[in-house]
Amino acid sequence: MSASPSDIEEITSETTSDELMSGINHKETIEAVISTMDQDQKVMFGENEGGSLWKFCYGSVEVFVQLTGETDEDSLTVWSFILPLPAKNEVQLMRKLLEMNWTETFESRFCIVNNQVAVVASRTLAEISPGEISRAITVVATIADNNDDALKAEFGAA
């Protein structure tokens, strides 16, 4: 059976990009990405009314991935804690982190959460692709692992 131009027009007008993107199973995508990165194969997973949370090890850091739901307004947040505060020479540390935010963090950023320096990336699920999910997890894990030891050595506990 061959499709006529009117059949193709009807199919394309009925299938919007939102419908195509909503076909993504975000949980399966996250689990597939984590399975390629977790070196110990000891992924922790939890779920409650606030969403889903994964924790896995990558190099010398723990990486957390939170999915608040499956709607366009829900979010994907990936983070890794890399240095407890207080630290030595915090003024110099903050300057270094701000400079690194400009040149080295791609879609992620350094921040302070619960008295700890972390690397974080976050965005809503609207129009997110599996590649963007993979990149967020990979970027946070890699930047955290590439910087935690050096930052601890230079600025460790005060």
Side-chain angles (χ1 to χ4, degrees), residues 27-136:
K27 288 181 184 178
E28 285 181 8
T29 302
I30 291 166
E31 289 170 359
V33 172
I34 291 172
S35 73
T36 66
M37 298 180 72
D38 179 52
Q39 294 148 341
D40 297 331
Q41 298 299 308
K42 295 180 183 173
V43 177
M44 295 181 73
F45 175 77
E47 196 166 38
N48 63 27
E49 64 279 345
S52 304
L53 180 67
W54 293 261
K55 180 176 107 173
F56 69 98
C57 291
Y58 183 77
S60 58
V61 297
E62 290 182 331
V63 180
F64 299 85
V65 180
Q66 181 181 35
L67 183 65
T68 62
E70 291 287 336
T71 71
D72 282 354
E73 293 77 32
D74 286 309
S75 64
L76 169 72
T77 305
V78 184
W79 73 93
S80 180
F81 298 111
I82 59 172
L83 179 68
L85 296 174
K88 293 182 271 183
N89 199 352
E90 285 192 12
V91 171
Q92 186 180 359
L93 170 62
M94 296 308 138
R95 180 179 182 95
K96 183 175 185 80
L97 295 175
L98 284 172
E99 289 171 349
M100 292 170 71
N101 273 347
W102 173 249
T103 60
E104 299 177 29
T105 57
F106 304 101
E107 296 85 18
S108 69
R109 61 202 172 278
F110 290 101
C111 65
I112 297 174
V113 180
N114 297 328
N115 243 3
Q116 296 183 73
V117 175
V119 179
V120 66
S122 185
R123 68 156 285 179
T124 62
L125 298 181
E127 299 182 18
I128 197 167
S129 70
E132 289 171 298
I133 294 170
S134 176
R135 182 163 170 88

Side-chain angles (χ1 to χ4, degrees), residues 4-15:
S4 71
S6 63
D7 292 335
I8 294 170
E9 219 172 83
E10 184 178 324
I11 291 168
T12 56
S13 67
E14 289 177 7
T15 308

